[in-house]
Amino acid sequence: MYSGASTRALQRLVEQLKLEAGVERIKVSQAAAELQQYCMQKACKDALLVGVTDRSNPFREPRSCALL
Amino acid sequence: MATEALHENETLASLKSEAENLKGKLEEERAKLHDVELHQVAERVEALGQFVMKTRRTLKGHGNKVLCMDWCKDKRRIVSSSQDGKVIVWDSFTTNKEHAVTMPCTWVMACAYAPSGCAIACGGLDNKCSVYPLTFDKNENMAAKKKSVAMHTNYLSACSFTNSDMQGCDKKAMVWDMRSGQCVQAFETHESDINSVRYYPSGDAFASGSDDATCRLYDLRADREVAIYSKESIIFGASSVDFSLSGRLLFAGYNDYTINVWDVLKGSRVSILFGHENRVSTLRVSPDGTAFCSGSWDHTLRVWA
């Protein structure tokens, strides 16, 4: 016997696909340019990228002796 | 009765074909805007130099596989959880353990630090998410103050104090609108289960790591996959991914015990980090981007900078 559950599931899928198809999209060239711009703007602050002096990175500075 | 079944059949068939048509239309629409590849746009960007990244701290103390970790906003404390049932809060500068809680179950698969720094949340096979306020009073029993905040029907695999609005679900990555509870975008290009997803720092894209041995970048405004990070020599799954502060680097932990560092824009690998003696299970960059921490099935956590 059909419960109608599979029809409902398919109806939901169709609604979901309509929703996803209606998303506003931009061209990859524009999206890529903006991702790149973000990277470039923030690059100088990215310690793992540019490497900061050992003094300002707490993990790189030599650890003080615990006996003091 | 027979006519009802027949009607049901017709409806099912027409719905199925409508669904197929919509899927095809979605792919068409996405393809129309696919005018260039990310790495082509990034060709003029200066290549990255040699990276010197080493293990700066090793956190030892768990008795079994480390499954999850999170940084505190103070950029120094780390919470980690393990299959041994323990959740430990570490001072990563000194490697001292500041708190330790024993959960009533093993396989504590998820843990997170509260933005306030005053509490941690964790859960796993107990199907619950429990929040523990952190106290430095030695007389206080942390376990006594715990609060359960959620009961799930199955094990807790991830938890976060801010509403995590992404989910890796099998091979599909889904983006949810938390206010409406709707899935607004879905991406299915991985060939196997997705283990980890993380937003790009600007929020306009996200990366995923999968059992298919690749990491991928999806741009939310272009509504498509825009980069694949893979090499023929990498055949083991990626378990966890995170971006550096600017989003230029993607750190990914793999089941072959290594961490690969990828140039997000150019698509090339810039470094491979060795050190762990078993699978890397979890990886997070610190809040200010000065270091990142990896947790492994080798029972340890490593802080790299």
Side-chain angles (χ1 to χ4, degrees), chain A residues 1-8 10-11 13-52 54 56-63, chain B residues 5 8-9 11-12 15-16 18-19 22-23 26 29-30 33-36 38 41-42 45 48 51-53 56-57 71 92-94 182-184 186 200-202 205 217 219 221-224 244-249 251 265 289-291 303 305:
Chain A
M1 287 299 284
Y2 292 105
S3 62
S6 34
T7 317
R8 279 196 294 277
L10 267 177
Q11 272 168 346
L13 177 60
V14 166
E15 287 314 310
Q16 179 60 30
L17 285 169
K18 282 184 187 164
L19 186 83
E20 288 176 29
V23 159
E24 269 187 42
R25 293 176 196 86
I26 65 174
K27 284 191 190 169
V28 175
S29 50
Q30 190 192 338
E34 290 181 23
L35 287 176
Q36 185 176 306
Q37 192 184 32
Y38 186 89
C39 278
M40 300 294 108
Q41 276 172 355
K42 304 278 173 175
C44 52
K45 294 204 181 128
D46 188 343
L48 288 167
L49 182 69
V50 301
V52 289
D54 285 359
S56 36
N57 188 326
F59 290 105
R60 285 194 184 187
E61 72 193 15
R63 287 153 72 190
Chain B
E8 176 87 24
N9 257 342
T11 318
L12 273 175
L15 278 174
K16 272 185 196 161
E18 198 181 348
L22 282 168
K23 277 185 194 163
L26 185 59
E29 292 298 314
R30 281 174 166 167
L33 297 162
H34 188 195
D35 54 347
V36 77
L38 172 61
V41 168
V45 174
L48 297 170
F51 275 90
V52 179
M53 248 177 257
R56 304 288 171 172
R57 302 284 190 278
W71 287 89
S92 65
F93 288 3
T94 61
Q182 286 226 291
C183 165
V184 293
Y200 184 78
S202 71
L217 184 71
D219 189 291
R221 292 151 321 147
D223 187 38
R224 64 171 299 120
S244 71
L245 201 87
S246 65
R248 181 68 191 271
L249 299 174
F251 300 97
L265 299 178
T290 49
V303 179

Side-chain angles (χ1 to χ4, degrees), chain A residues 16 20, chain B residues 165-168 172-178 181-187 199 203 206 218 220 223:
Chain A
Q16 179 60 30
E20 288 176 29
Chain B
D165 47 355
M166 264 202 299
Q167 175 185 334
K172 221 186 200 180
M174 299 163 80
V175 183
W176 301 82
D177 179 334
M178 294 308 289
Q182 286 226 291
C183 165
V184 293
Q185 284 171 281
F187 305 91
Y199 269 117
F206 70 89
Y218 299 88
L220 293 172
D223 187 38

Side-chain angles (χ1 to χ4, degrees), chain B:
Chain B
M1 281 305 201
T3 46
E4 257 182 43
L6 191 61
H7 180 68
E8 176 87 24
N9 257 342
E10 278 173 4
T11 318
L12 273 175
S14 72
L15 278 174
K16 272 185 196 161
S17 81
E18 198 181 348
E20 286 309 307
N21 284 340
L22 282 168
K23 277 185 194 163
K25 184 159 180 243
L26 185 59
E27 283 319 302
E28 253 182 57
E29 292 298 314
R30 281 174 166 167
K32 275 185 201 167
L33 297 162
H34 188 195
D35 54 347
V36 77
E37 299 293 335
L38 172 61
H39 62 84
Q40 289 171 313
V41 168
E43 251 159 39
R44 286 199 226 123
V45 174
E46 221 180 281
L48 297 170
Q50 276 291 349
F51 275 90
V52 179
M53 248 177 257
K54 297 198 292 190
T55 301
R56 304 288 171 172
R57 302 284 190 278
T58 304
L59 306 178
K60 294 188 188 180
H62 276 298
N64 212 319
K65 303 174 177 135
V66 174
L67 301 173
C68 188
M69 58 80 43
D70 190 19
W71 287 89
C72 176
K73 278 207 161 41
D74 71 0
K75 311 156 223 173
R76 157 172 196 159
R77 284 176 181 78
I78 285 174
V79 64
S80 62
S81 62
S82 161
Q83 193 188 333
D84 66 0
K86 287 208 171 49
V87 175
I88 299 178
V89 176
W90 315 77
D91 175 338
S92 65
F93 288 3
T94 61
T95 74
N96 287 339
K97 298 177 200 44
E98 294 195 341
H99 298 93
V101 179
T102 304
M103 293 284 284
C105 66
T106 56
W107 283 94
V108 188
M109 301 163 92
C111 61
Y113 225 113
S116 65
C118 299
I120 52 165
C122 51
L125 287 181
D126 58 351
N127 294 2
K128 282 201 288 247
C129 180
S130 303
V131 177
Y132 291 83
L134 293 173
T135 170
F136 280 96
D137 183 346
K138 289 218 164 70
N139 295 326
E140 284 229 55
N141 181 359
M142 254 179 83
K145 294 251 163 181
K146 109 174 163 186
K147 263 177 154 177
S148 281
V149 297
M151 274 299 291
H152 291 264
T153 52
N154 213 323
Y155 64 83
L156 196 83
S157 62
C159 65
S160 168
F161 271 87
T162 57
N163 268 327
S164 174
D165 47 355
M166 264 202 299
Q167 175 185 334
C169 177
D170 297 317
K171 307 182 209 162
K172 221 186 200 180
M174 299 163 80
V175 183
W176 301 82
D177 179 334
M178 294 308 289
R179 289 160 300 175
S180 64
Q182 286 226 291
C183 165
V184 293
Q185 284 171 281
F187 305 91
E188 198 164 6
T189 62
H190 271 292
E191 292 164 27
S192 192
D193 286 0
I194 296 177
N195 298 312
S196 168
V197 286
R198 197 74 78 209
Y199 269 117
Y200 184 78
S202 71
D204 292 327
F206 70 89
S208 58
S210 159
D211 277 344
D212 69 4
T214 72
C215 296
R216 296 175 197 235
L217 184 71
Y218 299 88
D219 189 291
L220 293 172
R221 292 151 321 147
D223 187 38
R224 64 171 299 120
E225 174 193 290
V226 292
I228 305 181
Y229 308 101
S230 67
K231 265 180 116 68
E232 267 186 42
S233 53
I234 302 176
I235 56 172
F236 283 82
S239 63
S240 48
V241 297
D242 203 1
F243 286 100
S244 71
L245 201 87
S246 65
R248 181 68 191 271
L249 299 174
L250 180 72
F251 300 97
Y254 290 75
N255 294 339
D256 64 0
Y257 316 173
T258 67
I259 293 167
N260 285 300
V261 186
W262 301 91
D263 179 332
V264 169
L265 299 178
K266 290 189 180 280
S268 52
R269 179 175 66 184
V270 294
S271 193
I272 178 168
L273 304 173
F274 300 97
H276 278 298
E277 293 165 20
N278 207 318
R279 288 195 191 189
V280 177
S281 53
T282 178
L283 189 157
R284 295 297 289 260
V285 172
S286 72
D288 62 353
T290 49
F292 71 91
C293 179
S294 57
S296 162
W297 281 17
D298 70 4
H299 308 187
T300 72
L301 294 116
R302 282 171 182 254
V303 179
W304 308 76

